[in-house]
Amino acid sequence: MSLLGKRCIISGGSRGIGLAIARLFAAEGATCTLIGRNQEALSTAAESLPRHNSQDHETVPFDVSNTNYWMKMVADRKTVKCDILVNAAGISQNSFLFNTAHGDVSKIINTNLTGTIWGCKFLVPKMMKQKEGCIINVSSLMAIHGGRGASIYAASKAGIVGLTRSLAWEVGRFGIRANVLLPGYIQTEMTEGMDKNGELSTLIPMGRLGLVDEVADAALFLAKNSYAHNCVLNIDGGLSAT
Ligand code: NAP
């Protein structure tokens, strides 16, 4: 098990991509802390994780856009290390910019981008003390491709790329690696109904949507490879090449 003894914090760990990453990391020996807003969903997710001898997975329900919760979580775990931080919490958008409510603009930015900023900001000092750590931020192919009805979402995800690449310059010398994943269309609740008649699949060179486990595999590579730093890794069935 390549992540034996590692402690891992995963936002958006209650379902979809975040949960798949938690499942794979736990199978590799990591102990996971899952973050999401819904305690019931988090508990179900945590119970589904593989458990070896000393793994005691935990859940911390909170909204990632709220700095106070991040600060409390870190303060409550002063003596607990954090080897890997995965920022996967996110919400989508399906509206043209001129039709997008003001409140939705802030909600998308605050969840996707600001939530990721807080995760990095509050866990990096701990990793610096440890002199090691690994950050995996989940952006989206939309960050570079854009998408109709996804202006704010794409802006939030592009922000995550800029955040991660800058952070990589700042923390690399402290033994902390920072990388960003750009998934294309992946089968989760977020993409439910988007490929009803298979039209979306025809736009993807591989002819299908991706699976959460395929994204989790990429996250595991970033977690394990000790020289992978400042990577922007597309997992998109070839869509970025179109
Ligand atoms: P999902 O199935 O809808 O899961 C989203 C996760 O984020 C859930 O655990 C959700 O839990 C959590 N979350 C949402 N808002 C939150 C908040 N304010 N505070 C804390 N947790 C919050 O979506 P997914 O497809 O797995 O997406 C995971 C990440 O991958 C997102 O960042 C998404 O943008 C990105 N992504 C997805 C795709 C795709 O095609 N699916 C493609 C590219 C990138 P609660 O709702 O209980 O809080």
Side-chain angles (χ1 to χ4, degrees):
M1 288 182 290
S2 58
L3 301 183
L4 195 64
K6 301 284 184 198
R7 290 202 69 109
C8 177
I9 295 176
I10 304 178
S11 81
S14 61
R15 61 173 190 268
I17 291 171
L19 176 56
I21 293 173
R23 232 186 260 128
L24 185 58
F25 283 17
E28 291 289 327
T31 302
C32 299
T33 298
L34 305 183
I35 299 165
R37 290 166 299 179
N38 182 320
Q39 176 61 72
E40 209 180 318
L42 284 172
S43 301
T44 309
E47 277 159 29
S48 77
L49 298 184
R51 241 169 252 267
H52 303 281
N53 292 342
S54 59
Q55 280 163 291
D56 196 10
H57 307 300
E58 60 165 2
T59 60
V60 194
F62 70 90
D63 184 330
V64 291
S65 64
N66 189 320
T67 66
N68 295 330
Y69 288 117
W70 278 108
M71 287 194 283
K72 181 170 174 5
M73 189 199 64
V74 173
D76 288 350
R77 285 160 188 75
K78 244 187 197 135
T79 56
V80 184
K81 60 184 186 139
C82 172
D83 300 297
I84 305 167
L85 168 68
V86 179
N87 287 300
I91 53 173
S92 62
Q93 177 195 0
N94 185 17
S95 57
F96 284 7
L97 181 59
F98 61 85
N99 265 338
T100 307
H102 293 198
D104 288 343
V105 172
S106 348
K107 200 171 167 199
I108 295 162
I109 297 289
N110 290 344
T111 304
N112 297 2
L113 178 56
T114 316
T116 302
I117 293 173
W118 293 145
C120 295
K121 177 168 170 50
F122 292 116
L123 269 312
V124 159
K126 186 187 261 299
M127 290 178 173
M128 282 172 98
K129 272 191 209 141
Q130 297 168 183
K131 296 189 172 48
E132 63 178 353
C134 169
I135 295 168
I136 301 169
N137 289 332
V138 182
S139 172
S140 161
L141 185 62
M142 297 258 181
I144 48 171
H145 245 217
R148 197 173 290 116
S151 51
I152 307 302
Y153 178 79
S156 71
K157 293 298 183 176
I160 292 175
V161 176
L163 165 75
T164 314
R165 302 216 74 171
S166 304
L167 191 61
W169 280 101
E170 295 174 10
V171 299
R173 282 171 195 262
F174 296 95
I176 304 169
R177 295 183 298 104
N179 293 295
V180 58
L181 280 174
L182 270 59
Y185 292 100
I186 309 298
Q187 280 178 30
T188 67
E189 231 170 75
M190 196 177 266
T191 52
E192 220 169 72
M194 281 174 90
D195 194 34
K196 255 189 230 147
N197 44 15
E199 263 175 45
L200 180 57
S201 286
T202 61
L203 301 174
I204 302 169
M206 281 190 71
R208 64 168 177 86
L209 274 67
L211 306 174
V212 289
D213 290 342
E214 291 169 327
V215 181
D217 264 343
L220 184 62
F221 162 76
L222 294 174
K224 277 165 56 172
N225 190 295
S226 51
Y227 204 51
H229 181 54
N230 214 350
C231 299
V232 180
L233 184 54
N234 299 349
I235 302 294
D236 57 19
L239 194 55
S240 52
T242 61

